[in-house]
Amino acid sequence: MSSGAPRRSRWHIEAGPPPAAQAADWLAADRLLNPTSPELGRLLAYEHKAAGHRSAHAAALTVMAVYAGHVTAAALLHWALHDEVLDLSAPNVLVTADGHGITGVRARQPHTLPQVGATVRQLHDVVLDRHLLPFADALHRRTRAGLRQLRGGIAHGCATALCASNADPDLLERRWNLFAENAPGGLAALGRVARVRRAGNGATRLVYLRRTCCLYYTSAEAVRCASCCLTSEEERLKRYAARG
């Protein structure tokens, strides 16, 4: 893949199989759940090289947070706004990656699942049980990255999928709390959402304050993430509020 591949909105999903000429660029998400697969090695290698990580487990932690914040983001937001669940389980998803980040998400068979009972349970099944949690397990087995830290990346990515939206913050906060409550993997204990008022436009936005570290400060960039738990919550909230 070319290093200049454009990045789409975190909620953008392409539909159906890719054109034959581009097929080699797409990674089957269910193959990423296999800790020994070449596809998982390829994804980790992109991140390791792009960010200059010093260890495989630090690269895995970054991959987890970035992946969770983009690949299943559309399912989180669509459920939050429409109370429907998109099938973004791993067997139905293809992804492209190039360096530090996910450049594309594709659903093999784009459709919403029939509503049976509470859709939050369906969302847990599709996004967590059948995708992000086994992906975290695969990264743990491949790199020995801490499972709690990897699941912290899941929580961060899932929360970011909602916090990045311009939708009503009251609605988004309610939906996040509903999603996090009783979520498998103990996600509720790994961080919390908070409200900030942006200095530039006065708009109220949700932000996520994580309680686990992704070790990105150990990369060649040597910077802390905006949500880094090594920075006090007070300072994080000030920095978020100062953004335009």
Side-chain angles (χ1 to χ4, degrees), residues 159 163 169 173 176-177 191-198 204-210 233 236-237 240:
C163 294
E173 185 172 18
W176 168 254
N177 290 336
R192 69 180 183 91
V193 295
R195 293 174 179 238
V196 297
R197 186 177 295 277
R198 302 290 196 190
T204 297
R205 297 292 297 271
L206 295 183
V207 297
Y208 186 71
L209 302 173
R210 61 189 302 175
E233 286 197 0
R236 279 181 276 172
L237 290 171
Y240 278 126

Side-chain angles (χ1 to χ4, degrees), residues 1 32 34 42 48 61-62 85 97 115 117 136-137 152 159 165 178 183 189 199 209 211 240:
M1 281 174 278
L32 300 175
N34 178 350
R42 189 170 155 190
H48 200 286
L61 294 174
T62 300
V85 177
Q115 293 189 40
D137 290 343
S165 171
L178 178 59
L209 302 173
R211 295 174 182 145
Y240 278 126

